[in-house]
Amino acid sequence: MLIRNETVGDIPAISRLVTEALLTLAQSTGTEASIVEKLRADSALALSLVAEEKGEAVGYLAASAARIGTQDGWALIGPLAVLPSRHRQGIGTALMAEALLRLRATSRGAALVGDPAYYGRFGFRSFPGFGVAGCPPEVVQALPFDGIEPRGELIHHPAFGLDQQV
Ligand SMILES: CC(C)(COP(=O)(O)OP(=O)(O)OC[C@H]1O[C@@H](n2cnc3c(N)ncnc32)[C@H](O)[C@@H]1OP(=O)(O)O)[C@@H](O)C(=O)NCCC(=O)NCCS
């Protein structure tokens, strides 16, 4: 398996794979592929990683700049998506490992909204006073690279449609 940056030729496959993977998630909004398109159109994809196997895109991870409270320099990971037929084969783990390696060089930490049962294995956890309005606190997680605990609201890029501004 190869983890690499997206190319122009990947764009239709990324949209299909994100849509298909997220359909398997009960809390999916069905808008995740269009969020990626909006981030791309706004040149806001800090990372756009494709997992490729035998010439096929089987997994995808996006990251974009985010703020926590008044603190800039965070990276928001999401969406992370793996083709349903390829779940539980280590593709999500490989994408996350590469993303964290790269983000350590550019960001003060990574944050995301997702299932703690999955993201806990990468070191993500919730913190008191850290969250997103309307989300259960345990699903809003961060991995500070400098050990400093995040505090305040996790502010996504406007492409996520959460009525917030970075
Ligand atoms: C979540 C997702 C990205 C995981 O990718 P994956 O390639 O299937 O995951 P991996 O094979 O790297 O899994 C690593 C471990 O996590 C476990 N795992 C996978 N999905 C999990 C989940 N949803 N909850 C808890 N554990 C999970 C696997 O069993 C595996 O554990 P093991 O090493 O003890 O066997 C993938 O299942 C997916 O695309 N799901 C639909 C979209 C989604 O939920 N995206 C995240 C949005 S928050």
Side-chain angles (χ1 to χ4, degrees):
M1 187 190 4
L2 174 68
I3 307 290
R4 57 167 178 77
N5 292 330
E6 75 165 27
T7 64
V8 174
D10 294 317
I11 292 174
I14 290 171
S15 294
R16 280 198 303 274
L17 124 64
V18 169
T19 301
E20 198 182 328
L22 271 295
L23 276 176
T24 64
L25 190 65
Q27 58 275 40
S28 165
T29 58
T31 59
E32 291 81 2
S34 77
I35 290 170
V36 174
E37 282 158 21
K38 285 181 191 158
L39 288 169
R40 188 182 291 114
D42 202 27
S43 301
L45 283 169
L47 288 182
S48 189
L49 297 178
V50 171
E52 178 190 319
E53 220 166 59
K54 295 182 184 151
E56 185 194 10
V58 293
Y60 178 74
L61 180 150
S64 50
R67 212 171 69 219
I68 297 180
T70 56
Q71 203 173 49
D72 288 319
W74 288 86
L76 187 289
I77 293 181
L80 168 62
V82 173
L83 273 184
S85 59
R86 306 300 308 273
H87 281 181
R88 307 206 168 209
Q89 297 173 19
I91 297 168
T93 299
L95 281 163
M96 184 61 88
E98 179 66 19
L100 292 177
L101 187 72
R102 295 194 190 195
L103 292 174
R104 275 183 188 278
T106 57
S107 308
R108 68 170 68 237
L112 51 78
V113 178
D115 185 350
Y118 183 63
Y119 292 107
R121 72 190 58 230
F122 304 110
F124 285 89
R125 66 175 184 93
S126 55
F127 292 88
F130 165 56
V132 172
C135 283
E138 64 275 12
V139 303
V140 185
Q141 298 150 78
L143 175 55
F145 300 145
D146 56 8
I148 297 171
E149 297 203 352
R151 191 169 292 270
E153 176 101 2
L154 171 60
I155 313 289
H156 291 59
H157 185 279
F160 288 84
L162 296 176
D163 292 322
Q164 307 159 330
Q165 302 288 312
V166 173

